[in-house]
Amino acid sequence: MALSRQELIDHEHALKDAVSEFLTFSSYSLFFPRTGEDPFEAGARAEPEFRKEDGELFLPLVLRGELLGYFVARGVRLAAPKVAPRYVMALASAALERIVLEKRVITDPLTGLSNREFFLSELTRSIEQVQDCLHTGACSAKPLNMELPSFSGTFGVIFIDLDNFRRVCERYGYLIGDDIVGEVGRMIRMVCPKHVTASRFANDKFAVLLPDAKPKACFQLAEVIRAGIAKLSFVDEITQDIIRISASVGYVNYPQAMEGPQFRREPAEQARVLLQKARRAVSTAKDLGRDRIFAFADILQKGGKVVEMLPMGRMAVSLGANVGARVGQRFLVSSPKSGGLATAQLTEDERLSGRYPTVYKGEAVLIEVQEEMAFAELLHVSDPSLSVSAGDRLRLVAEHESIFEPADEDGPRKDQENGIFAYRDFVAHVEKDRQSRERFGLTLVRMLDELGDQPGSFQSFMDSMARKLTGLARSLFGEETVAGRYGLGGLILYQPGISEQDLREKVLELEALASRQLDMEIAVGGAAYPYLNFRRTDMMDNCRKALEHAVLLPKPCVAVFDSVSLNLSADRHFTDGDIYGAVEEYKLSLLADEKNLLSRNSLGICYAQLGRLAEARKEFETVLAHDKTDAMALYNLGWANHRLGKFKEARTAYEKCLKHDPAHIFSMIRLGNLAERDEDLEAAEQWYSKAGEVPGGDRLVLRSLARVHLGRGDQQQCREYLHLALNANHNDDHAMHMLATMYLDMGEDPQVAEVLARQCAALRPDKDDYWETLVRSLLEQGKDEEAQKVRGRAS
């Protein structure tokens, strides 16, 4: 197991620390031998060289006979200049052996990829970074500038599982299986960028961690991996059979795929939850035919299937709460062949191909959701001759997207004993009745109590509670109230003619009565029509959002769809990276309540993300007109003015923010940035040091402190801070670029600068200055033709 130049650069700081234990020096750098020389021949004759007049010591870095490069120490004084260099060289080789040992511990020997344990540790570390980013407000939909560590607050995990691999091993032997796994690993290592952590997770399964990756980037790399595996072929030496393989690939993004309670788990536990979601995406890809890619986020939308048909038009489906399924969601049911490839052979030389037409058999609604699966009822059937069967596919649709007509009035039937509709029949009744109503309300009730020591079964207990709740609801809302089951532990109510204000008052009474008379804890979410510009068909979705809002509240857990509900929904869009969707919902939230300062702040942040800084500043100023002490708005106003070039106004806003929130890290860092701009390096260092003393601020100021020391001409201390910044985040492209520039400006080895610049450009291909630094490093090595190609690619 050897060390590459990239790995040697990655461990430059560790190597420096090891050498500094035996040797005192003022500065150092790496130097690589020119290409074309045999590294083993060079290693055999490598000798350290001490230039006493310059105080420089050139230490050959020899590992197991191979010359990797040179460690150049400056400002060196040796008491025994003829003997000491050899001993220091031997100690440096021992330090390289230690680095190799560390590499061996985290590497899978068959593939050369990272092993499972290292992958899990890196995944846990990434989750911790995102959590810090979310807690401090440092994340953004896109990198904003070079002053703060650029981190988008998201990353992706790709999981790869070879198809039918056990069958291949059983037929051709497990040695062939090892060859296949090894070659797949080498292919994955070849196509993955340097900043990606790729691992052999288990047997024929692989996992890839993509820092700062949105779903599009995950899909693109997943497709490169899938296509690369499909191109591989192997020959069995005994039978001469040509063996071809394929892989099913799934991917998931953090934090988009996580839900409320999951965020409260420890990062290591969240890492395992995230991997389970990625594997669930792989399972869906295999269900759909293998050799394909599927996103966890798409499972609910188009990855469900009918598992089993049950009596009375009911069915078990493959969607559960773990993929976001909720009671009341509606799905179109189609043939598994719909949209699939169809081919027909006419003659030896002619083949027809096409795709099966989409055949929708009906529409189903979820009536009970469990963790791994759910149960649904058929709402509509397209043709009695097209019966729904196991294996049929499900596609999520909104209520207003239904392609089926509402059921006839005579269709819905309710339980004679309690007058409660089954959910399917409730929907059929309400769909028609609401068309003639100028106003109406919908209310979702979720029972929070569990069976505990109650006698009888859970089913009978919940049935009893539903009957009692329905009685209370009708006593409050009137006898026109229509009740339907909403899963085993829930109830849905339709209140024709009710106003929003009455609905708001009565749902609070319902919660209080349930607690007082039935000793039952419930969460209640309601929605009233008309409300803003929402359609009648939007009310069910609004009602669900209100229930999700209610569940987040302390007792009483009651919410009627309003500005806050819209704010929470907009926050989900923002977390998913849908800035435009978030903007629309924040606007609706403010239309409902112009004094919702949280929505206005968030809208301003969205405008800033979109580059609309003047509009963003206006929103923050509006917030401060209502509340001059709002620290978030003060910082955001300072940030907007900072980016607009209004530095005096920016400084005033940051200082006011610190007055109301003395521990606001980012205001301190921004004030340090402004001090740097004014060339007041002492003030800048004071601000950065102060920010570093705040919990969570130490890793954020390292690059800024490096910049301050560079401005003072202290390259050695600057390099120390840059290495610390890369230890805190080994994908910090700005720190890498500063190091690369330093190597070039200080006249040191341009090969080191080239390696660093290539990694920067791979992390951020949109940054022109990274490509220019790469071009410069190539030109200084005389690689004019390659530099020209790089310049052409950058442009």
Side-chain angles (χ1 to χ4, degrees):
M1 185 172 288
L3 289 176
S4 66
R5 288 186 175 182
Q6 176 67 65
E7 289 169 327
L8 195 59
I9 293 172
D10 290 343
H11 289 88
E12 178 182 355
H13 193 252
L15 185 62
K16 184 272 298 184
D17 287 343
V19 174
S20 65
E21 293 182 14
F22 323 112
L23 182 72
T24 301
F25 50 88
S26 59
S27 66
Y28 69 96
S29 65
L30 289 178
F31 177 79
F32 291 121
R34 299 303 174 190
T35 56
E37 186 176 15
D38 186 334
F40 288 97
E41 288 184 8
R45 62 174 186 271
E47 292 287 341
E49 179 182 353
F50 178 54
R51 299 176 180 175
K52 184 176 181 179
E53 63 279 6
D54 298 323
E56 291 184 338
L57 176 62
F58 288 78
L59 285 177
L61 299 175
V62 179
L63 177 65
R64 300 171 190 175
E66 178 184 0
L67 179 63
L68 303 180
Y70 293 88
F71 184 90
V72 183
R74 301 179 183 87
V76 177
R77 293 183 180 180
L78 293 177
K82 293 184 178 180
V83 179
R86 287 181 175 273
Y87 285 104
V88 177
M89 176 181 167
L91 293 169
S93 295
L96 292 175
E97 289 285 358
R98 188 173 67 183
I99 292 173
V100 168
L101 183 60
E102 292 173 357
K103 178 182 175 183
R104 185 185 299 276
V105 169
I106 65 172
T107 303
D108 173 63
L110 182 61
T111 62
L113 300 175
S114 302
N115 58 25
R116 175 192 179 105
E117 290 72 23
F118 180 75
F119 181 85
L120 286 171
S121 68
E122 286 294 288
L123 182 55
T124 302
R125 179 181 179 183
S126 296
I127 290 172
E128 290 171 344
Q129 283 184 323
V130 173
Q131 287 183 331
D132 290 345
C133 177
L134 293 173
H135 292 162
T136 57
C139 63
S140 60
K142 57 183 179 181
L144 301 172
N145 55 38
M146 293 181 63
E147 305 304 333
L148 291 173
S150 58
F151 194 70
S152 66
T154 184
F155 62 82
V157 172
I158 298 174
F159 204 86
I160 305 111
D161 190 352
L162 301 184
D163 297 326
N164 301 314
F165 184 71
R166 180 181 295 178
R167 190 181 306 168
V168 170
C169 290
E170 289 174 349
R171 180 171 180 180
Y172 297 103
Y174 285 89
L175 291 178
I176 289 284
D178 282 351
D179 290 342
I180 292 173
V181 168
E183 189 60 32
V184 169
R186 283 185 284 276
M187 189 279 301
I188 291 175
R189 192 170 72 247
M190 180 180 68
V191 301
C192 284
K194 167 65 178 67
H195 63 283
V196 166
T197 301
S199 76
R200 181 189 181 195
F201 197 76
N203 299 327
D204 61 322
K205 298 172 177 60
F206 303 85
V208 178
L209 172 63
L210 287 79
D212 287 359
K214 299 292 195 304
K216 182 179 179 181
C218 292
F219 175 80
Q220 289 172 338
L221 181 57
E223 175 57 24
V224 169
I225 293 172
R226 185 207 62 79
I229 292 173
K231 292 176 182 177
L232 297 176
S233 63
F234 306 86
V235 178
D236 178 34
E237 296 180 355
I238 298 175
T239 63
Q240 296 302 305
D241 288 349
I242 298 177
I243 306 169
R244 297 190 182 278
I245 59 171
S246 64
S248 297
V249 186
Y251 65 88
V252 64
N253 285 84
Y254 184 93
Q256 293 91 328
M258 306 295 278
E259 297 181 349
Q262 294 172 338
F263 282 109
R264 292 194 286 270
R265 300 184 182 184
E266 291 296 319
E269 182 63 24
Q270 288 191 47
R272 283 159 174 79
V273 171
L274 197 67
L275 278 167
Q276 188 59 38
K277 292 176 184 286
R279 299 182 78 162
R280 178 66 189 272
V282 171
S283 298
T284 304
K286 289 185 179 292
D287 283 344
L288 294 176
R290 297 185 174 88
D291 191 21
R292 64 190 64 212
I293 301 166
F294 214 86
F296 177 81
D298 291 337
I299 294 176
L300 181 65
Q301 186 72 32
K302 55 188 178 182
K305 69 176 182 179
V306 178
V307 177
E308 181 184 3
M309 286 304 301
L310 305 171
M312 300 179 64
R314 296 189 175 187
M315 64 192 78
V317 300
S318 63
L319 303 172
N322 57 359
V323 297
R326 299 290 184 268
V327 171
Q329 289 172 332
R330 300 167 74 149
F331 296 83
L332 294 177
V333 185
S334 63
S335 165
K337 289 186 176 181
S338 294
L341 187 65
T343 59
Q345 190 80 35
L346 297 182
T347 67
E348 290 185 0
D349 301 317
E350 187 175 0
R351 172 178 291 181
L352 297 178
S353 65
R355 294 193 176 275
Y356 288 104
T358 301
V359 178
Y360 289 115
K361 297 182 177 182
E363 184 177 351
V365 61
L366 300 187
I367 60 170
E368 177 62 28
V369 177
Q370 300 174 5
E371 185 63 22
E372 299 284 344
M373 63 182 299
F375 296 91
E377 281 186 345
L378 277 173
L379 280 174
H380 311 287
V381 177
S382 62
D383 186 338
S385 65
L386 295 174
S387 60
V388 176
S389 58
D392 285 347
R393 300 297 173 188
L394 303 175
R395 182 171 74 84
L396 180 68
V397 292
E399 187 177 351
H400 63 270
E401 294 175 329
S402 173
I403 61 176
F404 296 94
E405 294 296 328
D408 294 334
E409 181 66 25
D410 295 336
R413 297 182 302 277
K414 54 187 173 184
D415 191 302
Q416 295 298 320
E417 181 181 352
N418 54 35
I420 303 176
F421 284 106
Y423 185 79
R424 174 184 60 183
D425 297 317
F426 174 88
V427 170
H429 174 83
V430 170
E431 275 183 340
K432 190 167 185 179
D433 186 81
R434 70 185 175 191
Q435 299 303 320
S436 61
R437 302 286 183 174
E438 292 299 320
R439 60 176 58 184
F440 64 87
L442 275 177
T443 304
L444 287 172
V445 182
R446 179 181 297 170
M447 300 176 226
L448 303 179
D449 288 331
E450 297 186 1
L451 180 58
D453 297 328
Q454 298 289 339
S457 68
F458 184 76
Q459 173 80 52
S460 61
F461 172 67
M462 286 300 184
D463 287 344
S464 172
M465 291 297 101
R467 287 194 297 271
K468 293 175 182 178
L469 270 175
T470 302
L472 286 180
R474 287 187 175 136
S475 70
L476 285 171
F477 296 109
E479 289 302 318
E480 276 192 298
T481 300
V482 180
R485 292 306 298 268
Y486 192 74
L488 193 57
L491 200 65
I492 183 167
L493 305 169
Y494 169 66
Q495 302 101 341
I498 197 169
S499 67
E500 181 188 352
Q501 184 58 37
D502 284 346
L503 180 65
R504 194 175 296 276
E505 293 173 359
K506 292 185 183 300
V507 292
L508 280 168
E509 290 184 50
L510 179 62
E511 191 276 338
L513 283 174
S515 178
R516 188 168 59 249
Q517 296 185 14
L518 304 180
D519 192 25
M520 180 194 304
E521 298 298 322
I522 61 174
V524 186
Y529 178 86
Y531 188 77
L532 299 180
N533 60 347
F534 288 101
R535 299 166 293 185
R536 288 177 171 84
T537 52
D538 293 327
M539 288 302 105
M540 178 61 76
D541 192 42
N542 290 352
C543 203
R544 292 194 193 100
K545 290 176 180 177
L547 181 60
E548 292 172 1
H549 175 191
V551 170
L552 297 175
L553 296 174
K555 195 176 185 315
C557 303
V558 177
V560 173
F561 185 74
D562 60 4
S563 176
V564 178
S565 306
L566 281 162
N567 196 110
L568 293 171
S569 178
D571 288 345
R572 293 190 197 94
H573 284 293
F574 185 84
T575 303
D576 290 340
D578 181 8
I579 304 297
Y580 291 101
V583 166
E584 292 307 311
E585 296 231 318
Y586 286 132
K587 285 182 176 179
L588 285 172
S589 177
L590 290 170
L591 188 62
D593 178 9
E594 64 178 11
K595 295 182 180 179
N596 187 332
L597 301 186
L598 189 59
S599 280
R600 196 170 293 282
N601 246 324
S602 300
L603 178 60
I605 291 170
C606 288
Y607 282 147
Q609 295 289 328
L610 296 171
R612 295 156 60 177
L613 295 170
E615 293 173 80
R617 184 176 61 176
K618 183 179 178 181
E619 297 298 336
F620 302 140
E621 289 172 342
T622 304
V623 173
L624 292 169
H626 288 89
D627 182 2
K628 294 181 180 180
T629 66
D630 191 315
M632 180 190 298
L634 284 166
Y635 171 74
N636 288 333
L637 177 62
W639 176 52
N641 281 323
H642 199 152
R643 294 183 67 196
L644 284 166
K646 299 181 179 295
F647 303 116
K648 183 178 179 180
E649 292 91 333
R651 181 179 284 106
T652 300
Y654 294 143
E655 289 172 347
K656 286 182 178 179
C657 177
L658 285 171
K659 180 181 178 181
H660 299 292
D661 182 4
H664 199 282
I665 297 172
F666 296 102
S667 288
M668 298 176 196
I669 294 176
R670 295 298 187 188
L671 285 167
N673 298 159
L674 291 172
E676 273 192 86
R677 180 186 174 276
D678 295 338
E679 299 183 354
D680 188 350
L681 297 182
E682 183 177 351
E685 185 176 17
Q686 289 176 354
W687 281 118
Y688 295 144
S689 298
K690 188 176 180 180
E693 293 170 1
V694 179
D698 51 349
R699 68 178 183 83
L700 296 176
V701 299
L702 294 169
R703 196 194 324 133
S704 298
L705 287 167
R707 203 167 50 245
V708 168
H709 284 280
L710 184 63
R712 290 173 172 165
D714 186 354
Q715 288 94 350
Q716 181 64 19
Q717 191 61 48
C718 172
R719 181 176 293 182
E720 286 295 305
Y721 276 118
L722 290 176
H723 280 298
L724 290 173
L726 287 169
N727 284 341
N729 176 12
H730 51 258
N731 291 316
D732 188 339
D733 52 287
H734 296 304
M736 288 180 205
H737 184 248
M738 285 183 68
L739 268 177
T741 305
M742 283 183 64
Y743 261 91
L744 293 173
D745 292 344
M746 294 170 66
E748 296 175 354
D749 192 348
Q751 292 182 88
V752 180
E754 178 191 345
V755 173
L756 291 167
R758 285 188 186 279
Q759 191 170 349
C760 293
L763 281 164
R764 290 287 306 282
D766 58 312
K767 297 285 290 184
D768 292 340
D769 50 341
Y770 292 0
W771 293 102
E772 286 302 320
T773 301
L774 178 56
V775 169
R776 182 183 165 193
S777 67
L778 292 169
L779 290 174
E780 292 200 12
Q781 297 176 69
K783 301 178 180 179
D784 295 5
E785 184 176 346
E786 188 175 352
Q788 190 64 30
K789 291 179 181 179
V790 170
R791 182 176 280 123
R793 178 178 175 183
S795 61

